[in-house]
Amino acid sequence: MAGMQTVETQGTKFFWSTSTALSTAQEILGVKTLSGFGGTSPVIDVSDVNSTAREKRMGLRDAGEISLGINYNPSTSISPGLAAMEADAGTRTLRKFCMKYSSVDANGLGKKADAYCGGVTIDMAEDDVWRGSVQLILAGGA
């Protein structure tokens, strides 16, 4: 598309924090992929025997989930954000997930959301590095 500018993914930073201030957040290192921030609303059928066509209303919006693909390293000194997420998954603690875009985030733009860490899974294969995925469950609007 002519005139459309793109934003590089290289340099994007991810944080896990009890506040949305990036200066106090713990960075999540090793992120390879991100998928999410979609959210959906269920469709509620309110048709009855007097309806001449299907009648619908929208239900409550579910902010959805975020999935992070990561290079896994269990050392807390390597990625304190990941270590904090793993601990929070076990305690069901609500935190802030922050994503700072690479080249367009000079003014604090990005995405921030209240989230629970649903879990961290790890995977390994021959002739590879340890990998994993993080499931974040968004608690509200994102």
Side-chain angles (χ1 to χ4, degrees), residues 37-58:
F37 284 113
T40 59
S41 295
V43 176
I44 302 170
D45 185 335
V46 294
S47 309
D48 61 33
V49 296
N50 294 314
S51 299
T52 58
R54 185 85 43 207
E55 298 176 48
K56 299 176 184 177
R57 302 287 183 270
M58 293 304 293

Side-chain angles (χ1 to χ4, degrees), residues 12-25 28 34 36-38 61 63-66 94-101 104-116 136-142:
T12 301
K13 296 188 179 288
F14 303 91
F15 301 90
W16 189 245
S17 179
T18 55
S19 78
T20 55
L22 297 181
S23 61
T24 61
I28 306 161
L34 175 139
F37 284 113
R61 185 175 190 281
E65 298 181 3
I66 297 170
L94 182 66
R95 298 285 189 205
K96 302 281 185 196
F97 173 73
C98 308
M99 181 174 74
K100 183 178 184 234
Y101 298 125
V104 297
D105 210 12
N107 297 317
L109 304 172
K111 289 201 175 273
K112 299 173 186 170
D114 291 334
Y116 295 97
L136 299 177
I137 302 159
L138 299 181

Side-chain angles (χ1 to χ4, degrees), residues 51-124:
S51 299
T52 58
R54 185 85 43 207
E55 298 176 48
K56 299 176 184 177
R57 302 287 183 270
M58 293 304 293
L60 295 174
R61 185 175 190 281
D62 181 340
E65 298 181 3
I66 297 170
S67 178
L68 299 175
I70 59 170
N71 286 328
Y72 182 79
N73 188 322
S75 171
T76 57
S77 63
I78 299 294
S79 183
L82 179 60
M85 294 171 97
E86 286 183 295
D88 289 337
T91 60
R92 301 179 310 182
T93 304
L94 182 66
R95 298 285 189 205
K96 302 281 185 196
F97 173 73
C98 308
M99 181 174 74
K100 183 178 184 234
Y101 298 125
S102 56
S103 59
V104 297
D105 210 12
N107 297 317
L109 304 172
K111 289 201 175 273
K112 299 173 186 170
D114 291 334
Y116 295 97
C117 181
V120 177
T121 59
I122 57 175
D123 301 298
M124 60 85 60

